[in-house]
């Protein structure tokens, strides 16, 4: 992520001055990691929560001060707050199952097989991350998926950098153990006859 942070900082500064194209470029640089982080927190509702977060980000962009890495951390903080609000609302009002509009959409012109494989592997990774204790899962998501450094991830979580590094390390170690214990879906374990 570091190689894009200088470019991101430039785009954010231009966006703060009212350049809509610069905001769109900053969005494209940040959104994939932010969406991955939110999928780890709220699952299938990540797109909705991301939309709420981006509305707030766009509204408050004039108040942001910092560089590209700082913007990444600021957006992750906003997204985390929206995700926690979403989870609180869900606990108060359980969701009823409805037919989703996605089921009615026509197939796109993209490569469905590659998209499905990528989605499957991303889904499997996020499912494994969701098995971790919450603080480990968030540390892994912020460090690996969003690309924040230790101090930035610590600011997002409101914890000390050392605690976040430790949680991330423990989470990654546990994930490595889980992956070693179970071969990826669709592959046979070569250790067994």
């Amino acid at each position: 992520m570091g190689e894009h942070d200088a470019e991101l900082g430039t785009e954010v500064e231009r966006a703060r001055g009212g350049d809509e194209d610069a905001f769109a470029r900053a969005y494209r640089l940040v959104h994939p990691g932010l969406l991955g982080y939110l999928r780890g927190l709220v699952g299938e509702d990540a797109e909705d929560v991301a939309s709420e977060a981006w509305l707030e980000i766009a509204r408050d962009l004039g108040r942001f001060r910092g560089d590209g890495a700082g913007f990444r951390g600021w957006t992750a903080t906003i997204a985390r707050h929206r995700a926690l609000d979403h989870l609180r609302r869900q606990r108060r009002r359980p969701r009823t199952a409805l037919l989703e509009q996605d089921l009615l959409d026509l197939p796109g012109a993209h490569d469905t097989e590659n998209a499905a494989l990528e989605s499957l592997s991303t889904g499997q990774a996020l499912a494994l991350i969701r098995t971790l204790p919450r603080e480990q899962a968030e540390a892994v998501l912020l460090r690996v998926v969003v690309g924040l450094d230790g101090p930035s991830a610590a600011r997002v979580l409101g914890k000390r950098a050392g605690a976040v590094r430790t949680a991330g390390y423990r989470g990654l170690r546990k994930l490595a153990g889980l992956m070693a214990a179970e071969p990826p879906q669709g592959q046979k374990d070569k250790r067994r006859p």
Side-chain angles (χ1 to χ4, degrees):
M1 296 292 167
E3 70 271 5
H4 295 293
D5 284 342
E7 176 186 357
L8 178 58
T10 301
E11 298 301 345
V12 168
E13 193 56 39
R14 288 181 182 148
R16 288 184 63 236
D19 184 338
E20 291 179 19
D21 291 333
F23 184 82
R25 287 187 294 274
Y27 171 87
R28 284 192 297 273
L29 289 169
V30 172
H31 184 68
L34 198 63
L35 188 58
Y37 173 56
L38 290 170
R39 280 191 183 120
L41 295 177
V42 299
E44 66 186 41
D45 295 333
E47 291 279 352
D48 294 337
V49 174
S51 295
E52 291 176 25
W54 279 107
L55 284 172
E56 186 173 336
I57 292 163
R59 183 192 71 207
D60 295 343
L61 184 62
R63 293 189 221 158
F64 171 75
R65 300 287 181 264
D67 59 4
F71 183 74
R72 226 179 265 289
W74 182 68
T75 59
T77 300
I78 290 170
R80 181 174 191 262
H81 290 162
R82 296 300 62 80
L84 295 175
D85 289 345
H86 176 78
L87 292 172
R88 279 190 287 273
R89 280 191 307 270
Q90 272 190 327
R91 276 187 293 244
R92 279 183 262 151
R93 256 180 316 201
R95 221 169 115 161
T96 59
L98 297 174
L99 178 63
E100 296 287 335
Q101 182 63 36
D102 294 343
L103 298 175
L104 303 175
D105 289 343
L106 295 174
H110 59 280
D111 182 357
T112 306
E113 180 182 356
N114 285 339
L117 289 174
E118 183 176 316
S119 173
L120 180 63
S121 61
T122 300
Q124 288 172 332
L126 291 173
L128 280 175
I129 291 170
R130 279 190 217 109
T131 67
L132 297 174
R134 184 182 183 115
E135 77 176 29
Q136 290 177 12
E138 280 199 84
V140 169
L141 288 166
L142 287 170
R143 297 291 309 271
V144 177
V145 178
V146 177
L148 297 181
D149 61 12
S152 297
R155 280 191 296 278
V156 170
L157 297 173
K159 297 183 181 287
R160 292 183 335 273
V164 172
R165 276 193 303 272
T166 300
Y169 171 77
R170 288 179 179 158
L172 289 172
R173 198 171 80 204
K174 186 171 183 178
L175 287 173
L178 290 170
M179 291 172 62
E182 292 183 32
Q185 197 171 23
Q187 294 183 6
K188 292 185 180 189
D189 189 350
K190 295 179 182 172
R191 296 175 293 182
R192 294 186 196 144

